[in-house]
Amino acid sequence: MTKRTIAALVAALIAMFIATPAQAAPPATTTIATGYGHTCTIDDGNLYCWGGNYSGQLGDGTIVAKTSPVRVGTATWTSVDGGTSFTCGIRTGGTLWCWGGNTRGQLGNGATTRQTTPVQVGTSAGWASVSAGDSHTCAIRTEGTLWCWGFNRFGQLGDGAAVYTASAPLQVGTASNWASVTAGYAHTCATRTDGSLWCWGDSSTGQLGVGVLGYRTTPAQVGTGTNWAGVTAGYLFTCGVRTDRSLWCWGENGYGQLGVSGTYQAAPVQVGSVTTWAGVVASFDTACATRADGSLWCWGNNASGQLADGTTTHRYAPVRIGDATSWTGNASAGHHTCGIRTDESLWCWGNNDNAQVGDGTTTARTAPVRVTLPA
C-alpha cells in the first residue's frame, strides 16, 4: 500500500468518524500544485513537474518545457506549492527548497537570480508548510512561527513594510501559533491554532476581508470569529472554510470568483447555504472546493475551460466537476486545474498552452484528463 493510499484512507476515516457539523476535517497534505503554466505533484515521495519552464520552475536543471511529467532529482518530498513562475517544496526531514524565477528574492536563498534546480532556504529542518504566491513566499515552521520573503511593495510580507524586497525569510511578528498560510498575488492570509484568521498586504479590492480598500503591512484579524478551518488566496480575492463547513469568499469578483453575483466584497460573504464544504483552493481568478461527499466544485474564470463544464463561460456560483464522489480535496486551481482521486489517479484540465495539463499535448482541455506519471 502506497503512502498516498494510506493518507487517503486516513482522510476518509477522519471525514466519516471525526468530522461533525461543528468541526471540519483537517486539510489534506498538499501534493499537487499549479503555477501559471506549470504543474508539480508528489507520488510516493517522488516529485514530478511538467509544463512551462522558462524560469526553471520545473527544477530539472533546464529551461525547456516538458509535455509530460519528469522527476525532480532523487530526494523524497512531503509537500509542494507552485508560484506564478517558481516552485517551493518541503523534503522528508523538514528542509525547505525553492527553484525557478527569483527576480524579487522569492526563492529565499539570499539572491535574486533564477535557479533551475532546488536551492535550500536557510538551514532549518523544521519547516511544516509553504505557500508560493506571485513574487513572494510564506512558510510555517513546526514550532508555529511564520516567515515570509520576496516582494513587499504592499506589505505582503507582514513586516510593517520595512523592506521593499527580502531575499531571505523574515519572521511575521512574534506569534508562535500559526496553523496555515496562503500567499496570493500581493496579499497573504493565515490562520492561527485558535481558529482566528488574519490577512495583510494589498486590499485594493477588499481581498483582506477587513472592510477596507487599501493595504495593511502587518496582520489584521478578519472579523472576530475563531472558527476558521482553512484559507486560500487567489489573485485579488480570498476564500475560506469555517469549522461548520460553510464556505466564504471576499475581494474582487469580475469573473465570479467569489461564488456569488455582484461586485467586489471587502468582507467575507457566504457562498450559497451549503454547509458540507471540506476545503477550498484558489489561484488567479478561479476557485475550487470539495464537499464532504467527495464531489468537486469550481467557479470563477473559465476562459480556458478550467471549470470543466464543457464551456468557457465564467461562473458566479460553484459548478460540479462531473459526477465523481472520489475527489480527495488534494486539488489546485488556476488557469488550469488539477485534482487527485481516492484511487490515487491524477487529473488535470484547462489551459494547456505550456503543456501544463500533462497529457503530452498543448491542447486546452475542458474536461478532466488523466495524467500518467513515469513508472
Side-chain angles (χ1 to χ4, degrees), residues 7 41-42 62 133 200 232 238-239 291 346 370:
T41 192
I42 297 170
T62 77
W200 57 97
T232 182
T238 311
C239 293
R291 290 185 180 175
L346 169 63
R370 188 164 182 173

Side-chain angles (χ1 to χ4, degrees), residues 345-359:
S345 61
L346 169 63
W347 302 75
C348 294
W349 57 96
N351 187 281
N352 200 24
D353 289 348
N354 294 284
Q356 59 264 49
V357 168
D359 64 348

